[in-house]
Amino acid sequence: MTAKNYTGLLGVILVLVGGMCPMLRVPIFGNWNYWDIDTVLASIVYSLSALALIAAVTRKQGLLRFSGWLLLLMLVFTLTAVYFKANDYFSFIPLKKLAAAATRMIKFKWIGWGLMFAGTFIIILFSGKEKVSLKTSPKMPG
């Protein structure tokens, strides 16, 4: 395996570990990781991580970069959805000040989000195409 494959593998590990870390603190329910936030989105992200893992092991740099971009898209979508859901979570409370106070009690835990985004950026940035050296290419006849 090349260094790019190892960095892709490191990125996948960071995404998987970040998904298991606490990402949201909900007052009564406790800390939520990616799976607790939404099982469908978590299934998609873990499947894309498995695809990236397979691409890193089999040296498919294009597939690794593609899965990295899809992971980034899913993470941005999830972060946006969680932000809007957290702001709308207590909308059933008729008193607006009480609802706003309850909304402020929901806290983001940035270590999980940070690990997932760092792993995704590592996958994208270090999964470029292999450069072909002119010294190792066969000589042209004539």
Side-chain angles (χ1 to χ4, degrees):
M1 284 179 52
T2 64
K4 290 186 179 192
N5 296 101
Y6 284 120
T7 55
L9 189 62
L10 173 70
V12 170
I13 290 170
L14 285 176
V15 169
L16 293 175
V17 169
M20 293 177 204
C21 288
M23 301 176 92
L24 201 63
R25 171 85 175 127
V26 181
I28 295 172
F29 300 107
N31 291 324
W32 286 3
N33 60 11
Y34 204 96
W35 195 262
D36 294 328
I37 291 172
D38 192 296
T39 55
V40 174
L41 292 175
S43 299
I44 292 170
V45 167
Y46 291 145
S47 298
L48 288 172
S49 298
L51 181 67
L53 178 69
I54 292 169
V57 171
T58 60
R59 300 180 185 167
K60 305 285 185 189
Q61 299 298 331
L63 182 62
L64 184 62
R65 180 170 276 223
F66 178 71
S67 60
W69 281 108
L70 286 178
L71 276 169
L72 181 64
L73 181 71
M74 289 302 300
L75 288 177
V76 167
F77 174 74
T78 304
L79 185 61
T80 306
V82 166
Y83 174 77
F84 285 117
K85 183 64 178 176
N87 287 331
D88 193 43
Y89 195 69
F90 294 104
S91 64
F92 65 91
I93 299 175
L95 303 172
K96 291 192 184 253
K97 287 187 179 184
L98 185 60
T103 299
R104 284 191 301 271
M105 291 172 56
I106 297 176
K107 303 290 182 194
F108 282 89
K109 299 286 192 168
W110 292 106
I111 188 72
W113 293 105
L115 285 174
M116 290 187 81
F117 276 106
T120 303
F121 287 133
I122 287 173
I123 291 171
I124 292 171
L125 293 177
F126 294 107
S127 64
K129 294 185 178 184
E130 296 287 331
K131 293 183 180 179
V132 177
S133 174
L134 294 176
K135 294 178 182 177
T136 59
S137 63
K139 296 200 177 216
M140 299 291 286

